[in-house]
Amino acid sequence: MYASAAQYNKPPTYPVNKVCAGIDGGGFGDDILSRIFGGLVAYNGNLSCYVNAHTAESETTVGWRWQTCSELAIPIGIGNNSMFPPDPFDLEDYIEHCKSLYGVPTRPHWVTTYYGGHSLKLILQRFASNIIFSNGLRDPYSIGGVLENISDTIVAVSTVNGSHCLDILFAKETDPEWLVAQRKIEIKIMKEWIDKYYADLSMF
């Protein structure tokens, strides 16, 4: 719940604000576990049971788990500076977990080998074009995103209040103006690429 609230911290509710208000507001005690529970109640309401009911996993969930096991190992762990118990990333445990799920070897260096991620900027400058790197800065993953333009056709579009993939979700009438503006910028960039393609094509 905490990870989801942080990753999808989107308007109009901004769940992290709700969770933090529950943590800071107390009401269940001042120890860490009580405050964590306060955040849970603020997010989900005061329920008699918080055990998640079993649901069929989406293709997105299954596919993402497969991808992070087979080619995109992400070393995420919990350090000593949070309210949660430390749980540092352990590559050996990660590999064993993936083997138990899929029977595939984890390739922690595949991405940097295949895409040349040791110098992403250099690789993209030389071999890429027509990419928009879009980031909502409320998304914790944005810290690993491309946040500056790399060339005229490899551009970064970011919004301070955006969350994970917010700009590519279905548009709603209640979307804030800054989100509508972000989408318009991205559409304008793509239209320019398409127009240039057809202009170049007409020369042959």
Side-chain angles (χ1 to χ4, degrees), residues 1-2 19 22-23 35-46 50:
M1 182 279 291
Y2 273 87
V19 170
I23 293 169
R35 288 184 176 274
I36 291 173
F37 181 67
L40 180 68
V41 171
Y43 188 69
N44 286 327
N46 200 349
Y50 289 91

Side-chain angles (χ1 to χ4, degrees), residues 68 72-79 86-95 106 108:
T68 55
L72 191 63
I74 303 176
I76 296 175
I78 300 172
D87 185 17
F89 178 78
D90 186 307
L91 181 59
E92 290 184 12
D93 287 347
Y94 190 91
I95 290 170
T106 301

Side-chain angles (χ1 to χ4, degrees), residues 7-8 134 136 139 163-169:
Q7 186 173 342
Y8 298 102
S134 141
D139 176 8
S163 61
H164 194 74
C165 295
L166 184 60
D167 55 319
I168 60 173
L169 297 178

